Amino acid sequence: MAGLLAVTVFMGTGVAHAQNASPAAPAAVEVGVVQAASETVPLFREFPSRIEAAESVEIRARVEGFLATIEFAEGSTVKKGDLLFTIDPSQFDESVRNAQAALNKAKTDLEAAKRGVEVLKARADLAKSMATWINAQQDAKRYKTLVVNDFVSKQEYDQAVTTERESAAVVEANKALLTQAEVNQDAEIARNQAAVESAEAQLAQAQLNLSYTKLYAPVSGRIGTAQVKPGGLVGRSESTLLATITTIDPIYVVFQIDEKDYIQVARRNAERAKQVGQEGMPPTFQLTLADGSLYEHGGTLNMVGSTVDASTGALTIRAAFPNPDTLLRDGQFARIRAEADSLENAVTIPQKAVQQLQGMNFVYVVKSDSTVEERKVKTSDRVGARMVIKEGLNAGETVVVDGVQKLRPGMKVAPKPASS
């Protein structure tokens, strides 16, 4: 009985000890934190915009023939100078050969005209007649002396004079023939020179037509679908559209801006240019895509419309954005932001520190006792990867950036600097 009582007392003591023991405190959750900063941030105006290709180039057939090959994958990116299409070149090769033969003949005829066979013969005839005339002159002079002394008869003297006159007439005739031959040669050279030039032009055109049987990309960009398949006839009575290339890098973003906003943006750009210089200015525009994400590349002003639309009071602006990954496509819609002003002493934190629940924004603030408080905040503009906090947070307060998903209000945390 005493032993049973002892056991009972022992067991009861054990139960009381177990009930009075305190549970172990949960380990502090390790989180990455940053301090809310106070800085001068830009203020933006946002406008709906449309994305446009900087260039849209149509590839058209310039000669008539049957399409032989397509050298690209539809929808792919092509580089300037890439071969895109070939047209059957056989008829154009023949035209080049015929034009070359015609040019060779024209050049041969020109060389023959320049040699001037008729002129050479006329010059030889003139030289021969001149020699005969000189001899006749000498004979007539000599016979004139002899006839005075009766060494020759009057008849022989008269014959010598007649021969001299006839020789002189032959010389004059040959001179006229030479002049005419030279005129004929000049005319023949001119005709053949014109024939050579015409043949050269025909050859050049034939070679140009042959070159048109290979169609190359005039610009780099994305090419659409082929409008004609191999074997199809192209170029008959019109320059058949074969495909279209749109340039993709850079790409344009076009939007409308009212006069008031334009003045603010223009003045802000002028202020920044004075501060950092035109060469040091960062991109003027930012782009928010359809999924709400911020496009990683900034844009620069490309064109300002020359007039304000009288009916809407809006001005057309075009910005150019780098597009190395071809994320932006012709025809897309987005929202473009332009810096219009700046806000001093703005409270900013990394965007990923801001959480959303049922349409409300909140952050986890680390208090002095290393516990976290769920704090509702009102946000303003986004500046790069940081968010401007309008209400609910002061500069210098510590907010959780990494490990937010593990937290509940009042939890103990082990803060460490957040990873960059």
Side-chain angles (χ1 to χ4, degrees):
M1 185 76 176
L4 178 60
L5 181 60
V7 170
T8 301
V9 171
F10 175 77
M11 291 179 62
T13 304
V15 169
H17 178 74
Q19 289 175 343
N20 293 333
S22 300
V29 178
E30 190 175 84
V31 292
V33 300
V34 298
Q35 285 190 328
S38 175
E39 56 183 322
T40 299
V41 298
L43 297 179
F44 293 89
R45 296 287 184 271
E46 193 171 74
F47 310 94
S49 62
R50 184 183 71 258
I51 297 172
E52 293 182 353
E55 290 184 83
S56 183
V57 182
E58 294 181 341
I59 309 302
R60 291 182 175 272
R62 302 180 68 175
V63 291
E64 181 180 341
F66 292 99
L67 191 66
T69 63
I70 299 175
E71 304 290 341
F72 62 91
E74 295 178 321
S76 65
T77 300
V78 296
K79 294 181 180 179
K80 181 178 180 180
D82 285 352
L83 179 63
L84 303 178
F85 298 94
T86 62
I87 297 172
D88 182 10
S90 55
Q91 61 175 320
F92 302 101
D93 282 328
E94 183 179 0
S95 295
V96 169
R97 290 193 295 271
N98 292 339
Q100 185 64 65
L103 176 59
N104 292 341
K105 181 179 182 303
K107 287 183 175 180
T108 299
D109 292 343
L110 177 59
E111 290 303 315
K114 287 180 178 180
R115 286 195 298 269
V117 174
E118 290 184 6
V119 171
L120 294 176
K121 181 178 181 300
R123 285 174 180 167
D125 290 344
L126 177 58
K128 182 178 179 182
S129 64
M130 287 286 289
T132 301
W133 179 41
I134 291 171
N135 289 334
Q137 284 179 315
Q138 292 174 347
D139 287 346
K141 184 178 181 179
R142 183 165 52 85
Y143 274 42
K144 183 177 181 180
T145 302
L146 293 173
V147 74
V148 172
N149 297 315
D150 293 328
F151 289 115
V152 295
S153 65
K154 180 70 168 57
Q155 183 179 1
E156 288 176 317
Y157 169 69
D158 291 341
Q159 182 61 47
V161 171
T162 300
T163 301
E164 186 272 333
R165 290 174 179 172
E166 290 175 350
S167 299
V170 172
V171 167
E172 291 302 320
N174 285 338
K175 284 182 179 180
L177 291 175
L178 175 59
T179 299
Q180 187 60 50
E182 290 174 339
V183 170
N184 292 342
Q185 182 188 27
D186 291 341
E188 186 69 13
I189 290 174
R191 284 194 297 272
N192 286 299
Q193 183 65 50
V196 168
E197 292 173 359
S198 175
E200 287 175 338
Q202 291 176 7
L203 176 60
Q205 185 62 55
Q207 291 171 331
L208 184 61
N209 289 340
L210 177 60
S211 72
Y212 288 155
T213 62
K214 293 183 182 295
L215 291 91
Y216 299 91
V219 295
S220 297
R222 189 173 299 278
I223 192 166
T225 57
Q227 301 299 306
V228 181
K229 302 305 179 185
L233 180 63
V234 299
R236 172 169 287 183
S237 73
E238 64 176 9
S239 53
T240 308
L241 176 64
L242 300 179
T244 302
I245 299 175
T246 54
T247 56
I248 53 179
D249 187 20
I251 201 162
Y252 291 156
V253 178
V254 180
F255 62 101
Q256 301 287 319
I257 184 171
D258 64 36
E259 293 181 72
K260 180 181 177 181
D261 287 335
Y262 170 71
I263 292 171
Q264 289 181 327
V265 171
R267 283 177 174 169
R268 180 57 182 159
N269 282 343
E271 291 173 2
R272 295 167 72 208
K274 289 180 181 179
Q275 293 169 358
V276 300
Q278 199 68 38
E279 296 298 326
M281 282 186 63
T284 303
F285 301 101
Q286 296 178 353
L287 199 63
T288 303
L289 303 179
D291 63 355
S293 63
L294 188 66
Y295 186 55
E296 61 180 316
H297 301 288
T300 56
L301 182 66
N302 177 264
M303 185 275 295
V304 177
S306 59
T307 59
V308 175
D309 190 316
S311 61
T312 63
L315 190 65
T316 299
I317 304 291
R318 188 172 68 197
F321 281 79
N323 192 29
D325 300 323
T326 70
L327 179 63
L328 305 182
R329 298 294 183 92
D330 183 36
Q332 285 180 309
F333 290 91
R335 295 192 68 82
I336 194 168
R337 303 198 306 164
E339 186 176 335
D341 204 347
S342 62
L343 178 65
E344 296 183 357
N345 302 320
V347 177
T348 68
I349 58 175
Q351 182 183 344
K352 62 180 180 178
V354 180
Q355 306 300 305
Q356 284 190 329
L357 180 63
Q358 296 179 347
M360 300 293 292
N361 294 328
F362 68 91
V363 297
Y364 280 107
V365 179
V366 180
K367 300 193 296 185
S368 59
D369 61 356
S370 296
T371 61
V372 291
E373 170 193 354
E374 184 180 279
R375 182 91 58 81
K376 291 181 180 180
V377 295
K378 289 186 178 180
T379 61
S380 180
D381 286 357
R382 184 171 52 194
V383 183
R386 298 182 70 81
M387 184 71 75
V388 177
I389 306 299
K390 293 172 61 178
E391 295 181 13
L393 190 67
N394 296 318
E397 290 191 280
T398 302
V399 296
V400 178
V401 177
D402 299 326
V404 176
Q405 295 78 8
K406 300 178 291 184
L407 299 182
R408 296 292 180 272
M411 290 182 67
K412 196 82 171 179
V413 293
K416 65 175 185 178
S419 58
S420 57

